[in-house]
Amino acid sequence: MRPSLAAIADDDAVALFELALWARDQELNKPFRALLREVIAAAPTHGLANELLGRVKVDGVWMGPEDVAAYIAANEAEKRAQGLLFHEGHWRPEAEVM
């Protein structure tokens, strides 16, 4: 049975995510990705939806790969002056990373 998007409230992240998984199982890639974006619109911190879209959590904020590079570049000089290196999604003390 095909679930109906019309029957799901815009803020029902759980139902939207279930529909996204159904779309993935049916190999409907465009609707799958679109539904994942709707999940994130309803629940920005939905970890699995973010991960399935290739997003990563950096310093507590979910961002796309292009945003990560810009974030690191924008903060690198200041953080290095503080003795920090970007490692595994967080700024960490250089001694801890080495």
Side-chain angles (χ1 to χ4, degrees):
M1 181 168 120
R2 182 177 190 259
S4 172
L5 180 58
I8 300 174
D10 291 345
D11 62 348
D12 189 346
V14 173
L16 288 166
F17 188 70
E18 288 175 2
L19 184 57
L21 295 180
W22 176 87
R24 181 195 61 187
D25 293 345
Q26 303 305 309
E27 298 181 8
L28 302 170
N29 291 328
K30 284 184 182 181
F32 169 62
R33 296 184 62 75
L35 285 162
L36 289 175
R37 287 189 291 275
E38 288 191 41
V39 171
I40 292 170
T45 60
H46 193 289
L48 194 49
N50 275 290
E51 288 175 8
L52 289 170
L53 283 173
R55 297 167 54 89
V56 293
K57 196 171 192 179
V58 177
D59 288 343
V61 178
W62 286 100
M63 34 181 104
E66 64 286 345
D67 298 324
V68 173
Y71 173 81
I72 293 169
N75 291 285
E76 189 166 23
E78 177 185 343
K79 297 294 186 177
R80 283 195 168 257
Q82 296 171 6
L84 302 173
L85 294 175
F86 190 77
H87 182 70
E88 296 180 355
H90 299 283
W91 294 100
R92 301 179 189 275
E94 188 172 357
E96 183 181 304
V97 174
M98 300 299 180

